[in-house]
Amino acid sequence: GQNIDQPTEMTATEGAIVQINCTYQTSGFNGLFWYQQHAGEAPTFLSYNVLDGLEEKGRFSSFLSRSKGYSYLLLKELQMKDSASYLCAVRRGAGSYQLTFGKGTKLSVIP
Amino acid sequence: DSGVTQTPKHLITATGQRVTLRCSPRSGDLSVYWYQQSLDQGLQFLIQYYNGEERAKGNILERFSAQQFPDLHSELNLSSLELGDSALYFCASSVAGQFTDTQYFGPGTRLTVL
């Protein structure tokens, strides 16, 4: 089976940096995804990691350590519009495109 | 806009009824995925279709069924509805078959069962 853990809620200040952690235990692994979801809206794709290390994309970066079953999403220069839920999702072994999502971390950005 | 469309946007119905949700994938995407999102459960994978055939099944109830048509649009049928079926239902699509395959989500259908 698969188990994905993320903090339920986080609060950070506008302009600051925040790190959202995700730990996972899976029977197979073929990539980890981060999605952003504003309340009542569709999840939107942020990043994908399949190899260990850091992937940077503008203000957002994502890190993966496969041996530790650990990933984080780093958001820099926080803006009010970054207030949303951030979903960590794991894809199982080769040939399977099914994603298993964590319950998400609700981030509140305050002035 | 992800390019994935879903109809209807909202659906209100009564217990015991049957509804059909529709999804059109992004142009070129062969695979369609259905997810259910309720407040306490997060996004739960229901079922995947690839080029008209069922590819993977998740936590889909027997009262629910889906299909993907030759034009690649998909429908999710929910029957004998219960109060607990009230949720957001998302469809996602992907090319599938690529190593970096990414799922893109439609705007969702909000189902309310009264």
Side-chain angles (χ1 to χ4, degrees):
Chain A
Q2 293 182 294
N3 191 35
I4 301 173
D5 288 312
Q6 310 177 230
T8 304
E9 294 184 30
M10 298 182 71
T11 301
T13 306
E14 192 177 13
I17 299 172
V18 70
Q19 178 175 312
I20 302 174
N21 296 324
C22 170
T23 57
Y24 63 91
Q25 294 172 308
T26 67
S27 54
F29 180 83
N30 190 26
L32 187 142
F33 293 77
W34 284 95
Y35 283 82
Q36 180 192 62
Q37 186 179 26
H38 287 96
E41 297 183 9
T44 56
F45 170 72
L46 290 178
S47 69
Y48 166 74
N49 295 71
V50 67
L51 300 175
D52 291 351
L54 189 68
E55 293 282 340
E56 297 188 77
K57 199 186 277 188
R59 294 191 299 116
F60 294 3
S61 304
S62 57
F63 172 83
L64 175 67
S65 169
R66 289 173 296 170
S67 62
K68 295 182 180 176
Y70 168 69
S71 173
Y72 67 73
L73 181 69
L74 195 70
L75 291 76
K76 304 174 189 172
E77 301 168 15
L78 279 173
Q79 301 175 10
M80 300 300 289
K81 68 178 182 179
D82 297 329
S83 292
S85 286
Y86 291 85
L87 312 178
C88 171
V90 173
R91 186 169 67 196
R92 281 194 279 181
S96 167
Y97 298 95
Q98 174 185 337
L99 293 179
T100 300
F101 282 83
K103 291 193 175 182
T105 299
K106 185 176 179 182
L107 174 67
S108 298
V109 179
I110 57 175
Chain B
D1 184 356
S2 67
V4 180
T5 60
Q6 287 187 251
T7 56
K9 196 165 184 179
H10 300 277
L11 201 48
I12 301 175
T13 188
T15 54
Q17 295 299 303
R18 173 189 168 95
V19 296
T20 297
L21 313 183
R22 183 188 168 104
C23 168
S24 292
R26 295 186 321 156
S27 175
D29 284 359
L30 299 178
S31 204
V32 166
Y33 310 77
W34 286 98
Y35 292 88
Q36 179 192 58
Q37 188 175 41
S38 54
L39 281 173
D40 56 344
Q41 288 297 319
L43 261 174
Q44 298 285 312
F45 169 72
L46 296 178
I47 197 164
Q48 177 200 358
Y49 278 83
Y50 175 75
N51 205 19
E53 294 191 5
E54 184 184 303
R55 173 66 71 92
K57 239 176 181 175
N59 301 320
I60 188 166
L61 300 171
E62 284 192 15
R63 301 183 285 109
F64 296 2
S65 65
Q67 54 184 328
Q68 186 179 28
F69 294 87
D71 67 353
L72 300 177
H73 90 271
S74 178
E75 293 181 354
L76 179 67
N77 301 296
L78 315 176
S79 62
S80 303
L81 284 167
E82 302 174 0
L83 295 177
D85 297 327
S86 295
L88 263 171
Y89 290 84
F90 287 105
C91 163
S93 76
S94 73
V95 173
Q98 291 185 351
F99 187 66
T100 56
D101 192 68
T102 298
Q103 293 182 28
Y104 294 92
F105 284 77
T109 294
R110 181 174 293 281
L111 174 66
T112 303
V113 182
L114 301 175

